[in-house]
Amino acid sequence: MRAYYYDDEPTDQRLPHDSGEPVSLDTLAHLGVLYWTIPVAEGESIPEGVDAIAKQRGYKNRDVINVSKEGLGDAYESKIKGFFEEHMHEDEEIRYILGGSGFFDVRKHAPAPNQERWIRIFCAPGDLIVLPSGIYHRFTLDTNNKIKAARLFQQDEPKWIPHNRGPATDSNPYRAEYVATIQPVSVA
């Protein structure tokens, strides 16, 4: 995993967009983003270390998603577009990367919207990331155009409904609870 501020250049979303300004694990933790590295071998099932974290955090269920042209078929283009829309969920988003790679962008909350910045998090095999309920985020593949990830969740049926950013979502109780748990961090 590597985290840094997004450069906001209007080019292909799958490019690194590295501003050259690294972001620490402490900054991510302040935003509620949790991270572990648990090595996985090519073709290996989910390692015991992931099971231990799942048990500790109360994740009871899981599935595996293959985000690629082959894995999503005709829905590929619409899914990729939808994943990159700024949104939040009412549940945590938990992903363990089994293969491929991609980027999770999280919105660094600030006192005013014009002070917010995207933080880009590059994830590759062995990375386990937890995005808290209520955080604005988006996802894209990198130029390899594929990622295979285990999705862990607490309920039988996760509430992965994306709530795109807007006035209604800004006042969503899960968003309000998230904002109340963090204090704005000044933008460098």
Side-chain angles (χ1 to χ4, degrees), residues 53-61 153-155:
I53 292 168
K55 183 177 180 180
Q56 171 193 3
R57 296 190 55 81
Y59 305 145
K60 300 175 190 129
N61 296 298
F153 42 99
Q154 295 171 323
Q155 296 93 355

Side-chain angles (χ1 to χ4, degrees), residues 2-186:
R2 190 168 58 88
Y4 49 87
Y5 288 103
Y6 187 83
D7 68 11
D8 286 321
E9 293 296 322
T11 58
D12 187 341
Q13 69 193 37
R14 300 170 308 140
L15 296 174
H17 287 278
D18 190 342
S19 66
E21 299 174 72
V23 172
S24 69
L25 286 175
D26 287 342
T27 297
L28 292 177
H30 175 82
L31 296 172
V33 176
L34 305 176
Y35 169 78
W36 293 265
T37 184
I38 303 166
V40 62
E42 180 81 25
E44 181 184 358
S45 62
I46 299 170
E48 288 180 20
V50 174
D51 291 333
I53 292 168
K55 183 177 180 180
Q56 171 193 3
R57 296 190 55 81
Y59 305 145
K60 300 175 190 129
N61 296 298
R62 66 181 65 170
D63 66 10
V64 174
I65 186 170
N66 181 4
V67 180
S68 66
K69 289 180 182 177
E70 299 77 26
L72 296 175
D74 293 340
Y76 175 77
E77 292 297 334
S78 66
K79 288 286 190 185
I80 293 300
K81 183 179 178 184
F83 292 157
F84 201 63
E85 290 289 322
E86 183 174 6
H87 64 278
M88 56 142 269
H89 301 286
E90 294 180 351
D91 282 342
E92 290 182 335
E93 184 163 324
I94 308 101
R95 300 292 183 267
Y96 176 68
I97 311 306
L98 293 161
S101 49
F103 300 105
F104 287 92
D105 295 341
V106 295
R107 182 68 81 174
K108 184 176 181 181
H109 183 70
N114 65 345
Q115 295 176 329
E116 294 178 340
R117 291 181 75 186
W118 283 113
I119 295 173
R120 178 151 274 197
I121 305 165
F122 175 74
C123 292
D127 290 335
L128 174 64
I129 189 169
V130 176
L131 304 182
S133 167
I135 192 171
Y136 283 127
H137 66 282
R138 61 190 184 188
F139 171 79
T140 190
L141 296 172
D142 62 12
T143 55
N144 292 316
N145 292 319
K146 63 182 177 181
I147 196 167
K148 182 178 179 181
R151 304 185 298 183
L152 291 80
F153 42 99
Q154 295 171 323
Q155 296 93 355
D156 291 331
E157 292 295 323
K159 296 181 284 188
W160 285 326
I161 297 167
H163 298 274
N164 289 344
R165 188 169 189 174
T169 305
D170 285 342
S171 62
N172 177 296
Y174 291 88
R175 175 67 183 164
E177 182 179 337
Y178 170 73
V179 171
T181 64
I182 61 166
Q183 293 185 1
V185 178
S186 62

